[in-house]
Amino acid sequence: QVQLVESGGGLVQSGGSLRLSCAASGRIFSTNIMGWYRQAPGKQRELVALITSSGSTNYADSVRGRFIISRDNAKNTVYLHMNSLKPEDTAVYYCKYSALRDYWGQGTQVTVSS
C-alpha cells in the first residue's frame, strides 16, 4: 500500500502562484511515476503534469511554461509549482503515484479568483 498526502492548495488571485506538495509513504518502489491531475466542476479529471523517478517530465499544453513539476526522491515527495495562475486553473488537484498499480491522493482545492 502507498499513502499520499497533499498540501498547498488555497485561494489565490489571477496571476499569482502556489506550490502543491504530495508526500508518498508506504511501499515505495524506486522506479515510479508521480503526477498531478485536476478536476474542475462538471469536467473530467485531466493530466496536469507528471515526472518519472529519473526526472523526465510531461505537461499538459494548458500549463506548459507556467507550471513546473519537481520531486525529491529522498523524501518521496513531488511538487507542483504553479505560476501565472488563471481562473481556469481552478479545480481540485490530485496527486497520483504509479508503480505496480496506481494510488491517488485525497485532492486539494485550488481556487483562482479573477
Side-chain angles (χ1 to χ4, degrees):
Q1 290 284 350
V2 172
Q3 294 78 41
L4 301 172
V5 178
E6 299 144 336
S7 60
L11 173 64
V12 64
Q13 288 189 333
S14 181
S17 299
L18 281 175
R19 188 185 80 160
L20 305 183
S21 300
C22 173
S25 62
R27 192 181 182 190
I28 305 297
F29 286 86
S30 58
T31 301
N32 60 69
I33 299 173
M34 295 188 74
W36 291 94
Y37 291 71
R38 67 186 181 187
Q39 188 167 18
K43 295 188 177 182
Q44 290 190 331
R45 192 172 298 189
E46 63 177 4
L47 171 70
V48 177
L50 54 84
I51 184 168
T52 70
S53 46
S54 61
S56 297
T57 59
N58 190 30
Y59 294 90
D61 289 342
S62 59
V63 307
R64 188 175 289 113
R66 299 188 298 122
F67 292 9
I68 298 174
I69 190 169
S70 64
R71 63 187 292 165
D72 184 335
N73 288 335
K75 296 181 179 179
N76 293 320
T77 299
V78 63
Y79 305 96
L80 186 67
H81 307 260
M82 304 186 292
N83 303 305
S84 302
L85 282 160
K86 305 175 181 180
E88 51 263 43
D89 294 318
T90 295
V92 178
Y93 283 70
Y94 296 91
C95 176
K96 180 182 175 184
Y97 166 94
S98 300
L100 294 183
R101 54 158 286 187
D102 296 336
Y103 294 87
W104 291 90
Q106 78 284 0
T108 185
Q109 177 70 46
V110 171
T111 302
V112 184
S113 63
S114 57

